[in-house]
Amino acid sequence: MKMNFPLVSTLAALLLGFAGETNAQKIDFTEYDLDNGLHVILHQDKSAPVVAVSVMYHVGSKNENPERTGFAHFFEHLLFEGSDNIKRGEFMKLVSSNGGQNNANTSFDRTYYFETFPSNQLELGLWLESERMMHPVINEVGVNTQREVVKEEKRQRIDNRPYGQFINAVFSRIFTGTPYFWQPIGSMEHLNQAKLSEFVGFFKKFYVPNNAVLSISGDIDIAKTKSLVKDYFGDVPKGEPVSQPVVNVTPITQTIIDTTYDANIQLPAIITAYQMPGMTSKDARALDLLSGILSEGVSSRLYKKMVDDKKEALQVGAFTLSLESTGAYVLYALPNGNTSLNTLLADFDSEIKELRENLISEKDYEKLMNQAEDKFVGANTKNIGVAENLATAYTFFNKQTNHVNTELEEIKAVTREDIRNAARKYLNDNQRLILYYLPKK
């Protein structure tokens, strides 16, 4: 599918993926806990003199107070402000001046910080992350500065971006009353109202070693790295136990039909969204495979039918948004010319009906398995990908880090019958949102 329309670029910027291991290469790792509860995962890869250092905190927007949204994303920025031993504005300079790169991202369920360095700078990466965890500077200057940074990011990525309200428009309708109702960017009003003490309290509650995974991948000596990890992280105080919120999603039992408007678009879109189970479910894997049948590549069913053959759509897609406790299965299309949105909706329905009634062909099934393996091969070609996959497996798959080595097997265990059954269970007309996404005059 061509990636030259604004909705695709918006989704690419908003969504975060995860991946596992392939049959081609088993990821060996060493893991253990420090006394303060920090889980450590080490993967040695001597193929290049580079190393990735990362910390994943099990805190995202779903952990926030509904009256103080945006805190997790705010801390993604705030924790680059500096520490007791790193002057304000020096964090990223230290990284770049030593040949490294760094970044961070936040989702509904976790916050992830990482650096990549030449392997002789491993100790610097550990020091930087320990400084971030142990004693960052959280003061009015930093808070006020990052408020403005986050406001500008919201303007660029959401408020002024074509289709920037896409995810918010869907989630606010199918996850009403849950912590997935709001987006990680949060409310600027909430951030403006928050006092410094609230930011300090949020940090002390969630950014503690017993709510984090330190994952390191690259050209390392395991014994030496263990010693360095103890030196830099062993004295970080253990926090209070962190309990993840119970997310109870009210099932959709009657079609929701709604309209939303976007002043930044000229082309309307039709969107349908269904609730689906969380990321660890076998049904979630089946639905992810199903989206490959519908819209992955120019030979996929929706693209071939709606874009190539009937020329009704300029762009069409189907994808899963897998979260820790639930998820969404989404289809969307942008019309070509005067094609009505209801015509596109009818095309969606006919293809979903086909998947609910009949098994996909053996040829299509083989293609899906090949696509899945290709994705996993690509996901683990870099140390930063391996580090994130290891941390994700431990954090979200019941502390089973070896999930990176079994996930592809689990995907290949999904049968054609499983795919049809998942479509029958979750993709029903009375279980969905139909959203008309229209230009605002």
Side-chain angles (χ1 to χ4, degrees):
M1 183 166 52
K2 294 181 180 179
M3 303 289 283
N4 59 349
F5 288 96
L7 184 51
V8 167
S9 62
T10 295
L11 293 175
L14 293 174
L15 307 182
L16 294 169
F18 67 95
E21 166 65 345
T22 74
N23 286 341
Q25 180 183 4
K26 181 177 182 293
I27 296 179
D28 294 318
F29 58 89
T30 299
E31 63 180 336
Y32 60 98
D33 288 332
L34 296 183
D35 291 342
N36 57 15
L38 178 66
H39 192 71
V40 183
I41 308 173
L42 308 178
H43 168 67
Q44 184 185 73
D45 180 357
K46 295 286 189 177
S47 62
V50 294
V51 65
V53 178
S54 71
V55 178
M56 181 175 289
Y57 293 93
H58 198 173
V59 55
S61 56
K62 81 168 187 299
N63 299 91
E64 296 163 352
N65 179 341
E67 296 181 357
R68 287 292 184 268
T69 62
F71 269 45
H73 173 259
F74 189 76
F75 268 94
E76 174 196 320
H77 292 266
L78 188 62
L79 294 188
F80 282 99
E81 276 287 309
S83 73
D84 291 349
N85 298 306
I86 302 174
K87 293 180 180 180
R88 184 169 178 267
E90 291 294 314
F91 193 102
M92 286 183 276
K93 291 180 181 179
L94 284 168
V95 174
S96 60
S97 64
N98 286 279
Q101 295 179 322
N102 68 291
N103 213 329
N105 54 61
T106 308
S107 75
F108 293 88
D109 300 305
R110 95 290 186 274
T111 304
Y112 187 61
Y113 300 89
F114 58 91
E115 294 86 30
T116 57
F117 279 111
S119 54
N120 61 2
Q121 295 298 329
L122 167 63
E123 191 168 354
L124 174 59
L126 294 174
W127 177 67
L128 290 170
E129 288 302 330
S130 68
E131 285 291 301
R132 196 197 308 270
M133 184 183 294
M134 182 178 284
H135 35 57
V137 172
I138 304 174
N139 58 25
E140 293 286 0
V141 174
V143 166
N144 291 334
T145 299
Q146 294 307 323
R147 276 195 183 109
E148 297 308 311
V149 172
V150 172
K151 288 177 184 178
E152 181 60 23
E153 180 180 354
K154 185 173 185 290
R155 284 190 287 268
Q156 291 184 3
R157 293 182 55 197
I158 297 178
D159 296 344
N160 298 323
R161 187 173 191 155
Y163 308 99
Q165 297 290 342
F166 179 99
I167 302 299
N168 182 60
V170 171
F171 277 31
S172 63
R173 288 166 171 83
I174 69 172
F175 296 139
T176 303
T178 78
Y180 294 124
F181 179 86
W182 60 88
Q183 301 300 291
I185 196 77
S187 163
M188 298 305 100
E189 182 180 358
H190 291 173
L191 294 179
N192 286 335
Q193 293 172 346
K195 299 177 181 177
L196 180 62
S197 59
E198 294 178 81
F199 291 110
V200 173
F202 192 84
F203 174 83
K204 289 183 177 180
K205 181 176 182 179
F206 291 109
Y207 297 83
V208 291
N210 45 301
N211 194 45
V213 175
L214 171 65
S215 182
I216 304 169
S217 174
D219 181 18
I220 60 174
D221 177 274
I222 298 295
K224 181 179 178 180
T225 303
K226 283 185 174 182
S227 178
L228 290 172
V229 168
K230 183 178 180 181
D231 289 343
Y232 284 103
F233 290 90
D235 291 335
V236 182
K238 185 175 184 178
E240 294 295 323
V242 176
S243 298
Q244 295 299 318
V246 177
V247 180
N248 294 314
V249 177
T250 301
I252 299 172
T253 58
Q254 186 174 355
T255 305
I256 303 170
I257 302 176
D258 208 345
T259 303
T260 191
Y261 297 91
D262 189 335
N264 301 307
I265 66 172
Q266 295 180 328
L267 293 175
I270 184 69
I271 300 166
T272 62
Y274 306 79
Q275 296 168 341
M276 58 176 277
M279 65 173 68
T280 62
S281 164
K282 183 177 181 179
D283 283 341
R285 288 188 283 275
L287 289 169
D288 195 47
L289 291 169
L290 189 147
S291 67
I293 286 288
L294 288 177
S295 72
E296 185 151 340
V298 295
S299 63
S300 60
R301 294 185 182 184
L302 290 178
Y303 190 94
K304 190 173 188 305
K305 176 179 183 178
M306 299 170 68
V307 178
D308 280 353
D309 295 344
K310 300 173 75 174
K311 293 180 172 55
E312 296 171 341
L314 290 173
Q315 181 185 330
V316 63
F319 59 92
T320 58
L321 286 167
S322 293
L323 307 171
E324 183 171 13
S325 303
T326 183
Y329 191 87
V330 180
L331 298 92
Y332 69 91
L334 274 62
N336 184 16
N338 295 320
T339 303
S340 75
L341 296 183
N342 286 331
T343 297
L344 302 179
L345 179 62
D347 287 338
F348 286 169
D349 290 347
S350 66
E351 292 302 322
I352 292 295
K353 181 180 179 182
E354 171 67 19
L355 288 167
R356 294 179 69 251
E357 293 182 352
N358 301 301
L359 295 175
I360 63 174
S361 68
E362 288 282 3
K363 182 179 179 180
D364 283 343
Y365 180 74
E366 182 179 357
K367 179 182 176 182
L368 286 179
M369 294 300 110
N370 290 336
Q371 288 173 343
E373 187 155 358
D374 286 344
K375 288 179 182 178
F376 287 124
V377 168
N380 288 309
T381 56
K382 295 183 178 181
N383 281 306
I384 191 58
V386 173
E388 182 173 5
N389 293 340
L390 288 166
T392 296
Y394 179 84
T395 302
F396 296 112
F397 290 84
N398 197 30
K399 299 183 179 181
Q400 297 299 312
T401 309
N402 197 53
H403 184 260
V404 298
N405 292 317
T406 63
E407 186 170 356
L408 186 57
E409 297 172 14
E410 294 169 11
I411 291 175
K412 289 188 172 183
V414 176
T415 65
R416 294 188 298 153
E417 289 78 11
D418 292 329
I419 294 172
R420 182 183 62 184
N421 292 341
R424 288 176 173 178
K425 184 175 181 180
Y426 298 101
L427 306 186
N428 295 296
D429 289 351
N430 65 324
Q431 296 173 301
R432 65 176 174 171
L433 163 71
I434 299 175
L435 184 64
Y436 296 88
Y437 198 106
L438 306 179
K440 185 177 181 181
K441 294 182 180 179

